[in-house]
Amino acid sequence: AALAALAALPAGAQAQAWPSKPIRLVVGFAPGGGTDIIARAMAPRLSELLGAQVLVENRAGASGAIGADLVAKSAPDGYTLVMGHSNPNVIVPFVFKVPYDPANDFTPIHYIGYVPNILAVHPSVGAKNVDELVALVRSKPGVFSYASSGIGSSQHLAGALFTKITGTQMNHVPYKGSGQAITDLLAAQGNMNFDTMPPVLPHILAGKLRALAISTPNRMPQLPDVPTFNEVGIRGFDVTNWY
């Protein structure tokens, strides 16, 4: 990744022995979400590889679009990077107008990977599995809610897809990032979310949230007892996030 970043720089910047100052790594979401967790895990190793401090900077809002726009308008000198994400780089530009060109305003450096989405409910919700949850939500249309990291985020669309497939009605509650959404969910200020694995996994393992289904084709070793959506009869629920 370091070599790719160096090769992407203009010749003038390379001549100045890049990097010669700290590098910003912008995360378009509030602290505590999956993107933030991964960026902060990477930053120390990137600092070591590049020989310059890599500082994570949170610029939350508009499902990552505010942070993406900041980087799109920054100087193309290799000192302002963005943690690319399926939300601001692919989904959001199709949901509402953004002030940047997701295809041409960024130079991709390295693919990091992807994570699945998990349907997690607060323990106060009386459902122990997806069938029970669907029956419960159907019995009280418009009463239950699901949180997301913003309008147009993969979590938002995952919830909308779930309601469409199951014929249920739930309220969508958007936040500026998964960290805030999960904090409220842990406090029972909401019923469920369809968040990515990194921010919810510790709470699931601690018993503070209950995982009902995961969006991968096969079960994950981290949660071997959690079935896939296909296993529970929710067909076509292929939702993941890439970085």
Side-chain angles (χ1 to χ4, degrees), residues 26-231:
V26 176
V27 171
F29 304 92
T35 314
D36 181 69
I37 290 171
I38 292 175
R40 292 184 186 279
M42 289 176 52
R45 180 60 175 155
L46 282 174
S47 298
E48 180 183 343
L49 287 170
L50 300 178
Q53 189 173 12
V54 176
L55 305 172
V56 176
E57 181 177 321
N58 297 88
R59 291 297 185 98
S63 298
I66 289 177
D69 184 51
L70 169 70
V71 176
K73 291 180 169 57
S74 66
D77 55 8
Y79 290 101
T80 305
L81 310 179
V82 65
M83 200 54 187
H85 191 282
S86 48
N87 286 354
N89 293 97
V90 178
I91 302 172
V92 171
F94 286 95
V95 177
F96 53 83
K97 184 175 178 60
V98 295
Y100 57 86
D101 183 340
N104 298 308
D105 285 348
F106 305 95
T107 299
I109 295 174
H110 195 73
Y111 171 68
I112 297 169
Y114 80 94
V115 294
N117 288 61
I118 298 174
L119 167 54
V121 301
H122 188 270
S124 63
V125 176
K128 299 296 192 298
N129 54 56
V130 172
D131 284 343
E132 291 181 1
L133 179 66
V134 171
L136 189 60
V137 174
R138 282 178 178 165
S139 70
K140 299 177 180 179
V143 172
F144 288 87
S145 64
Y146 68 94
S148 82
S149 61
I151 295 173
S153 66
S154 65
Q155 295 95 326
H156 173 201
L157 299 186
L161 179 61
F162 181 83
T163 60
K164 181 177 180 180
I165 293 173
T166 59
T168 53
Q169 296 179 29
M170 291 192 291
N171 299 311
H172 170 229
V173 183
Y175 289 80
K176 288 187 176 181
S178 294
Q180 296 173 343
I182 294 168
T183 296
D184 274 7
L185 181 60
L186 291 169
Q189 301 298 314
N191 307 119
M192 70 194 80
N193 69 10
F194 297 80
D195 221 308
T196 55
M197 179 181 282
V200 296
L201 181 61
H203 305 299
I204 293 169
L205 296 177
K208 296 179 180 179
L209 295 176
R210 182 184 303 128
L212 301 187
I214 193 166
S215 67
T216 43
N218 302 302
R219 297 193 185 198
M220 298 291 286
Q222 296 91 337
L223 296 169
D225 297 326
V226 178
T228 68
F229 279 95
N230 281 335
E231 285 182 276

